[in-house]
């Protein structure tokens, strides 16, 4: 048994203890986003799991990432020595691939216990059956999952209102609410509509027991790393495409939170009409760039792809009998809609077909924690009050993997922090999770395995 709050708290504690000060936001001036992969090990004796005494599982963070930035297409390099996308979710997943490579090396060389066991085919491995992975993100993924309805209703899924707009009698939607630049916003804290919304504190705890999801509502939670009066209620809005109609419970959808992610060029686009019809949902999107357009797909699109193709990547798949899928996604306290998350990560992939054997659209548990990340934009803005200066996203990204050698990696603008123009192209100017370094790790794995034990795909 585990809960969404347990996963969030584990990740927040890991961030505070295992990650260095270098690369973290400057207090009261910068914010960042956090993502991680948590390994869950089920008890060996499943019979001990009863309603009176639920089984205790072992939880361990195996990869973590922070970051909000993405480079423009003009800065991309064919050599693969730069990180194109440094959003926290992507950093955590690439760090997870590094962890998987290390675990495969342990399995293949028979040196230590590994998460992998031999598969049925020569040279192939598979994940132990008592293990599964949960993905955590402190914020909803950018793109489709962040197109969240706003209801004409007291409890809004938004960040704290800093200024008092409640005295205004009208609520008007702005046609220019998208976040400029290549940093992620708290989708969209500074919009006039968001500021005018009234908040009521409320919490929701979600517990996973024996594969079932239960929702319970409680009063304001006192425990946790930070608990300002921010509502993260779970909206139930059917048919966001028809956003102007009356929602269940007589709560009318009056607008949607904007996402800065842009529709893929040449495909269907947003209507950009005032109010709730601004966005078209379910579309593929690229992350925004300040002047220089990016070529990186939104985190919503990437996570949807992982739920079909797995998180391991093409190189690791040479050694695996089946893909490595996430069993659940947990989102921290932030603007949130269960329907938007399900649509973005699983719903729009239901018609995907003609996949290779072993691949398919997975059933994915999607839960929200009531614990707020203390260095999120919402939390920092709530604490800084009238502090001088503008609140900005942290320019650095931190990668951490559960590996023995160089587990930490701090980057800025796609290169290790401190890289100069003169050193670009050298070994010192490569992130441990860049394409070229992950490929070098794969080559190292091959070198430690006898050629006659290689899988057929590499012969």
């Amino acid at each position: 048994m585990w809960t969404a709050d347990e996963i969030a708290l584990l990740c927040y504690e890991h961030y505070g203890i295992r990650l260095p000060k270098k690369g973290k936001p400057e207090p009261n001036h910068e914010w960042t986003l956090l993502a991680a992969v948590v390994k869950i090990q089920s008890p060996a004796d499943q019979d001990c799991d009863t309603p009176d005494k639920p089984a205790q599982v072992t939880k361990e963070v195996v990869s973590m990432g922070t970051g909000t930035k993405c480079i423009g297409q003009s800065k991309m390099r064919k050599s693969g020595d730069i990180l194109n996308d440094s959003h926290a979710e992507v950093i955590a997943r690439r760090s997870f691939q590094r962890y998987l490579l290390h675990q495969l090396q342990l399995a293949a060389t028979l040196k230590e216990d590994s998460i992998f066991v031999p598969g049925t085919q020569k040279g192939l491995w598979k994940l132990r059956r008592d293990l599964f992975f949960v993905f955590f993100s402190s914020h909803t993924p950018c793109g489709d999952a962040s197109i969240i309805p706003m209801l004409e209703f007291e409890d809004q899924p938004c960040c704290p209102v800093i200024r008092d707009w409640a005295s205004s009698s009208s609520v008007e939607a702005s046609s220019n609410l998208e976040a400029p630049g290549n940093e992620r916003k708290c989708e969209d804290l500074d919009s006039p509509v968001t500021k005018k919304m009234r908040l009521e504190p409320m919490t929701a705890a979600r517990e996973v027991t024996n594969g079932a999801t239960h929702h319970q509502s409680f009063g304001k939670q006192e425990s946790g790393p930070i608990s300002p009066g921010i509502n993260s209620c779970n909206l139930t809005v059917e048919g966001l495409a028809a956003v102007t109609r009356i929602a269940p419970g007589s709560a009318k959808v009056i607008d949607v939170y904007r996402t800065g992610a842009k529709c893929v060029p040449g495909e269907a686009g947003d209507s950009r009409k005032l109010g709730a019809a601004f966005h078209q949902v379910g579309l593929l999107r690229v992350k925004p760039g300040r002047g220089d357009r990016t070529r990186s797909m939104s985190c919503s699109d990437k996570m949807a792809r992982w739920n079909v193709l797995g998180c391991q990547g093409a190189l690791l798949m040479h050694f695996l009998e089946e893909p490595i899928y996430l069993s659940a996604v947990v989102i921290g306290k932030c603007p949130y809609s269960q329907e938007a998350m399900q649509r973005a990560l699983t719903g729009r992939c239901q018609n995907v077909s003609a996949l290779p054997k072993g691949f398919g659209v997975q059933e994915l548990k999607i839960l929200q924690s009531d614990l707020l990340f203390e260095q999120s934009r919402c939390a920092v803005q709530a604490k800084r009050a009238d502090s001088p200066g503008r609140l900005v996203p942290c320019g650095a990204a931190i990668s951490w993997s559960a590996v023995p050698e160089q587990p930490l990696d701090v980057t800025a603008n796609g290169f290790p922090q401190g890289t100069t123009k003169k050193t670009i192209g050298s070994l010192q100017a490569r992130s441990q999770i860049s394409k070229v370094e992950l490929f070098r790790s794969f080559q190292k794995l091959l070198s430690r395995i006898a050629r006659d034990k290689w899988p057929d795909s590499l012969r």
Side-chain angles (χ1 to χ4, degrees):
M1 181 190 73
W2 55 270
T3 67
D5 281 357
E6 288 174 350
I7 297 295
L9 185 59
L10 179 69
C11 293
Y12 296 158
E13 290 177 342
H14 188 95
Y15 172 84
I17 297 171
R18 302 297 294 272
L19 268 60
K21 184 177 180 181
K22 181 182 178 182
K24 289 183 177 179
E26 181 183 335
N28 294 323
H29 179 63
E30 295 180 328
W31 59 273
T32 194
L33 298 172
L34 176 70
V37 176
V38 177
K39 181 183 73 175
I40 307 288
Q41 182 173 355
S42 304
D45 184 7
Q46 294 289 346
D47 295 334
C48 67
D49 188 9
T50 65
D52 295 333
K53 187 179 180 181
Q56 297 300 309
V57 298
T58 303
K59 302 180 289 293
E60 178 190 1
V61 175
V62 295
S63 77
M64 180 166 281
T66 72
T68 65
K69 302 285 187 176
C70 186
I71 67 169
Q73 58 185 353
S74 66
K75 294 183 179 179
M76 297 175 71
R77 294 166 58 88
K78 293 181 179 179
S79 56
D81 60 353
I82 189 171
L83 295 178
N84 299 331
D85 188 343
S86 293
H87 281 208
E89 296 93 328
V90 178
I91 297 292
R93 185 254 183 168
R94 298 186 73 83
S95 302
F96 181 51
Q97 289 178 316
R98 192 175 174 217
Y99 165 77
L100 294 176
L101 273 165
H102 173 67
Q103 290 294 317
L104 267 175
Q105 182 175 309
L106 293 179
T109 56
L110 304 175
K111 287 185 176 180
E112 298 178 36
D113 287 340
S114 169
I115 64 171
F116 294 110
V117 294
T120 57
Q121 302 177 51
K122 181 180 179 181
L124 297 186
W125 302 82
K126 61 183 180 180
L127 187 67
R128 283 168 34 190
R129 293 305 175 193
D130 62 335
L131 301 178
F132 61 93
F133 296 101
V134 174
F135 191 86
F136 172 78
S137 177
S138 63
H139 197 278
T140 49
C142 65
D144 198 55
S146 288
I147 303 176
I148 299 171
M150 289 183 182
L151 301 184
E152 192 176 50
F153 164 77
E154 285 189 344
D155 291 313
Q156 296 294 331
C158 56
C159 298
V161 178
I162 306 304
R163 283 161 287 195
D164 184 13
W165 292 79
S167 58
S168 176
S169 59
S170 62
V171 178
E172 298 177 358
S174 169
S175 61
N176 188 27
L177 296 179
E178 288 194 339
N182 56 357
E183 59 268 0
R184 284 174 64 176
K185 301 288 185 178
C186 200
E187 318 264 5
D188 213 328
L189 180 68
D190 289 328
S191 76
V193 173
T194 306
K195 290 177 179 176
K196 294 179 185 181
M197 292 300 167
R198 190 169 155 229
L199 299 177
E200 286 291 332
M202 180 180 179
T203 66
R206 295 156 184 84
E207 189 175 85
V208 177
T209 309
N210 298 328
T213 304
H214 306 284
H215 298 267
Q216 295 176 314
S217 295
F218 298 89
K220 184 174 178 180
Q221 181 167 313
E222 298 297 332
S223 62
I226 183 169
S227 302
I230 298 176
N231 175 42
S232 61
C233 62
N234 208 4
L235 292 180
T236 303
V237 181
E238 301 172 355
L240 184 57
V243 290
T244 56
R245 69 177 182 168
I246 299 298
S250 299
K252 185 180 180 181
V253 178
I254 58 172
D255 204 342
V256 290
Y257 283 85
R258 309 288 196 259
T259 177
K262 312 295 183 184
C263 297
V264 172
E267 301 292 332
D270 291 322
S271 69
R272 301 184 69 86
K273 295 178 181 178
L274 291 177
F278 185 90
H279 282 307
Q280 174 68 35
V281 299
L283 302 181
L284 296 176
R285 298 174 181 272
V286 293
K287 289 165 181 169
R290 181 163 290 170
D292 187 11
R293 181 180 286 273
T294 80
R295 298 188 67 179
S296 297
M297 300 301 292
S298 73
C299 288
S300 291
D301 296 334
K302 290 187 176 185
M303 291 180 69
R305 182 179 65 194
W306 304 342
N307 196 48
V308 178
L309 301 179
C311 291
Q312 71 290 326
L315 290 178
L316 278 166
M317 200 61 216
H318 283 292
F319 281 97
L320 297 178
E321 198 164 77
E322 52 195 28
I324 305 296
Y325 289 112
L326 300 169
S327 295
V329 171
V330 174
I331 303 296
K333 194 170 188 178
C334 66
Y336 182 84
S337 166
Q338 186 74 14
E339 283 69 29
M341 285 290 295
Q342 290 175 334
R343 176 194 68 233
L345 302 190
T346 61
R348 56 188 177 144
C349 299
Q350 293 303 314
N351 293 328
V352 174
S353 58
L355 293 167
K357 182 181 178 181
F359 292 87
V361 181
Q362 304 299 299
E363 292 185 7
L364 187 66
K365 294 183 181 70
I366 303 174
L367 308 168
Q368 189 187 25
S369 167
D370 194 53
L371 302 182
L372 182 70
F373 178 42
E374 64 180 2
Q375 292 191 320
S376 67
R377 186 171 192 259
C378 298
V380 175
Q381 188 155 21
K383 289 189 295 184
R384 73 193 303 261
D386 297 325
S387 299
R390 193 164 62 95
L391 183 62
V392 297
C394 181
I398 306 176
S399 160
W400 181 90
S401 299
V403 298
E405 298 180 7
Q406 293 182 270
L408 279 164
D409 199 41
V410 181
T411 57
N413 299 314
F415 293 111
Q417 199 171 48
T419 298
T420 63
K421 289 184 178 180
K422 289 183 178 181
T423 59
I424 290 178
S426 66
L427 289 175
Q428 293 76 18
R430 294 177 180 176
S431 165
Q432 295 294 320
I433 57 171
S434 63
K435 291 178 182 178
V436 66
E437 283 301 307
L438 287 177
F439 181 64
R440 278 166 52 94
S441 297
F442 180 76
Q443 290 178 312
K444 185 178 179 181
L445 171 64
L446 282 179
S447 69
R448 297 190 176 185
I449 301 174
R451 188 175 288 268
D452 61 345
K453 294 183 178 180
W454 285 10
D456 292 340
S457 63
L458 293 174
R459 291 177 182 274

